[in-house]
Amino acid sequence: MARLVIVSNRVAVPDENKTVAAGGLAVAVKEAFTAYEGLWFGWSGNVTETPSTEPTIIDRGRIQYAVVDLSPQDHREYYSGFANRALWPIMHYRLGLGAFSRSDYAGYLRVNRIFARALAKLIEPDDIIWVHDYHLLPLAAELRGLGIANPIGYFHHIPWPAADVFNTLPASGDLLRAIADYDLIGLQTDPDVHNLSRNLIDELRAIPLGGGSLMVEGRRTRIRSFPIGIDVAGFKEAAENAGANKIVRETLSGLRTRKLLIGVDRLDYSKGVPERMEAVDRFFASNPDQRGNVVYIQITPKSRTEVPEYEELSREVNQTVGEINGSLGEPNWTPIQYVTKAYPRPVLAGLYRAARVGLVTPMRDGMNLVAKEFVVAQSPDDPGVLVLSKFAGAARQLPEALLVNPYDRFEVAEAIRTALYMPRSERLERWKPMAERMTREDVDWWARNFMSDLENFRTIEREPPRPAAAAAE
């Protein structure tokens, strides 16, 4: 059986008890490894002045972990710089927040080259390689330059923007050439597929071959949508058993008879947290009878605090919370409870289940798994209502949610009112098809579909691997 090699920016190495973080990529990778023995390669999360050129190898049964450290300069330029101050805002249509620098871009390419050289020594002839996310767009090109001819797939977890947006990035042409070295490119939605395919056709004169395949400067690649799912069985079980959790019990006790609105997001300007708070403020302004009867809990762990734009966002959110609570709050009622610590799955599942309304209103999102978690966590007898941004990838799989324009505070406020007053019969009618769809299209379905395509797809008419120096140019 072929070995699976997964590459990601960060690697979640389990402890000795084989427990690993339950979120996002870690769950997806765990599912992919259920059918394969394999290797998971990436950054250790450590920053050190003198990182080793050789990866640290950690064995955990069927999976071997290989991690490398980064130097402060590498971390600053590759991660904080180009990946998160240039690529991330452009991919999320936030052109005004993009900060491109040639030194950061050079660091981004350098770290991808470091990863490729360390990884190439570990790759065996029959390995299948699956690379994850925007930090590693050039990795296949670097591996090809080192003579690696194995099948290499790539999954892009965030949106792929329209060509006119992506092409504002000074390095856009180089990155388009680099991504064409992947045999299979997976994106979250069909519009993402269209955006990338159109960009390759217009900019690099790629030739459509049918079935999502393109010939790009002599290399054949295939682009398809693979909407990522969640661990449905695990999340459902956590929601059903959440009553035993102390934090959940105490939170629900503090609510008394008040209805709960909930939002859970990493602190990021793509998530629309301050805009959502202003919509909640508008809801209370339009529905004064609901003051004191509804509480909004926003759980927002901080992230990327070394990036200036995120520090500014943190100040903006805190100011917005303070102003709303100061103007609306009473001694026995705080309209918005804002929490910046992360909670484990049992707590989140319990709070989702207790909420009458789930607010998932990002300004732009590749998928958004919180929306799916909220649906799966609901009681089959009395489900809550999902208010979902039409600009989240999840909206295409969850059309029965109340879809809103997150830029329109009045529309979001009206959706909150509609959700709170929605009769049980309509809530059930909306929830059932979403729950059934999430159960069918879970994380295992996602991983199996991608790996099946990657295993079955072999490049044809590929030019010989380029020398390493050419790949680095």
Side-chain angles (χ1 to χ4, degrees):
M1 179 183 292
R3 188 177 67 153
L4 174 60
V5 176
I6 284 183
V7 190
S8 61
N9 171 58
R10 285 290 299 271
V11 174
V13 180
D15 59 28
E16 293 294 343
N17 297 319
K18 296 185 172 56
T19 59
V20 68
L25 181 61
V27 172
V29 169
K30 181 181 176 183
E31 287 298 325
F33 276 130
T34 57
Y36 298 86
E37 291 187 357
L39 172 73
W40 189 356
F41 176 95
W43 176 38
S44 65
N46 296 325
V47 176
T48 160
E49 291 291 344
T50 55
S52 172
T53 58
E54 299 297 323
T56 299
I57 307 296
I58 304 162
D59 284 306
R60 291 286 188 270
R62 289 168 53 85
I63 306 174
Q64 191 177 60
Y65 298 82
V67 295
V68 293
D69 298 337
L70 293 178
S71 71
Q73 181 183 2
D74 287 342
H75 180 263
R76 183 176 63 253
E77 294 174 349
Y78 151 77
Y79 182 75
S80 300
F82 187 75
N84 288 319
R85 296 196 71 196
L87 274 179
W88 178 271
I90 292 297
M91 294 289 184
H92 288 86
Y93 289 76
R94 301 299 294 269
L95 275 68
L97 295 177
F100 176 87
S101 86
R102 292 287 173 186
S103 60
D104 286 349
Y105 181 53
Y108 177 78
L109 295 179
R110 182 177 64 251
V111 171
N112 271 270
R113 196 169 305 127
I114 289 169
F115 282 2
R117 289 173 178 167
L119 177 61
K121 300 173 186 177
L122 305 175
I123 292 174
E124 299 171 359
D126 292 332
D127 286 348
I128 299 171
I129 305 167
W130 189 2
V131 179
H132 287 265
D133 228 358
Y134 62 103
H135 312 84
L136 304 171
L137 285 172
L139 189 67
E142 295 292 344
L143 290 171
R144 299 299 185 203
L146 297 172
I148 302 299
N150 302 55
I152 310 178
Y154 170 79
F155 189 77
H156 193 72
H157 289 258
I158 63 178
W160 193 282
D164 285 350
V165 175
F166 185 71
N167 291 345
T168 63
L169 193 66
S172 60
D174 293 340
L175 293 175
L176 287 172
R177 287 186 178 86
I179 202 170
D181 270 299
Y182 288 101
D183 297 294
L184 176 64
I185 301 167
L187 297 133
Q188 298 279 19
T189 69
D190 289 340
D192 294 326
V193 170
H194 172 80
N195 287 343
L196 176 55
S197 300
R198 192 73 254 166
N199 209 348
L200 289 168
I201 291 168
D202 291 346
E203 294 299 312
L204 301 184
R205 300 184 182 278
I207 302 169
L209 302 175
S213 294
L214 296 171
M215 186 67 70
V216 187
E217 297 184 346
R219 298 182 298 278
R220 185 171 183 258
T221 188
R222 188 181 187 198
I223 307 174
R224 267 198 62 196
S225 63
F226 298 88
I228 192 170
I230 65 169
D231 174 16
V232 171
F235 214 89
K236 189 179 296 184
E237 180 182 4
E240 290 169 351
N241 298 327
N245 185 280
K246 181 182 178 183
I247 295 175
V248 174
R249 288 200 316 271
E250 291 177 349
T251 302
L252 300 187
S253 174
L255 288 173
R256 299 187 181 91
T257 60
R258 295 180 177 120
K259 293 179 180 179
L260 173 62
L261 315 177
I262 191 165
V264 177
D265 311 82
R266 182 173 55 82
L267 185 63
D268 189 282
Y269 46 76
S270 68
K271 303 299 184 182
V273 174
E275 293 84 358
R276 185 185 310 154
M277 290 178 172
E278 291 169 4
V280 170
D281 185 29
R282 170 52 51 189
F283 163 75
F284 284 123
S286 302
N287 300 274
D289 58 310
Q290 293 300 310
R291 296 180 188 179
N293 296 320
V294 175
V295 171
Y296 166 36
I297 295 179
Q298 177 63 50
I299 298 173
T300 308
K302 291 186 177 181
S303 69
R304 301 172 187 165
T305 53
E306 73 280 5
V307 178
E309 290 80 3
Y310 288 76
E311 276 298 296
E312 176 59 31
L313 176 63
S314 179
R315 287 191 290 270
E316 180 186 355
V317 172
N318 280 306
Q319 180 178 343
T320 302
V321 172
E323 290 176 352
I324 294 173
N325 284 341
S327 65
L328 294 179
E330 301 289 348
N332 64 342
W333 174 64
T334 303
I336 300 178
Q337 297 181 14
Y338 178 57
V339 184
T340 60
K341 67 182 292 185
Y343 288 99
R345 179 161 68 176
V347 174
L348 294 179
L351 295 178
Y352 292 148
R353 195 177 184 89
R356 176 57 68 203
V357 183
L359 296 176
V360 184
T361 57
M363 316 311 278
R364 181 76 60 170
D365 230 336
M367 179 52 61
N368 196 297
L369 298 183
V370 169
K372 298 186 175 186
E373 292 171 351
F374 179 84
V375 169
V376 167
Q378 295 308 299
S379 166
D381 299 321
D382 189 24
V385 180
L386 175 63
V387 175
L388 178 61
S389 166
K390 63 176 69 175
F391 302 124
R396 297 189 168 266
Q397 288 177 286
L398 301 170
E400 296 85 1
L402 293 180
L403 300 182
V404 296
N405 176 1
Y407 292 89
D408 187 338
R409 277 76 157 171
F410 290 87
E411 184 176 321
V412 177
E414 185 58 30
I416 293 171
R417 174 182 169 82
T418 300
L420 287 172
Y421 284 95
M422 187 178 293
R424 177 175 174 273
S425 59
E426 184 180 348
R427 287 188 276 119
L428 285 166
E429 185 180 353
R430 289 176 176 272
W431 174 78
K432 283 182 178 178
M434 293 193 292
E436 290 169 359
R437 202 174 298 118
M438 292 305 91
T439 301
R440 288 195 309 270
E441 300 173 1
D442 64 357
V443 69
D444 178 61
W445 169 86
W446 169 78
R448 281 188 288 105
N449 279 350
F450 189 97
M451 287 307 301
S452 175
D453 258 29
L454 184 55
E455 282 191 303
N456 293 332
F457 183 69
R458 294 293 182 265
T459 58
I460 59 173
E461 300 181 45
R462 174 180 292 281
E463 61 185 13
R466 293 170 288 167
E473 290 176 356

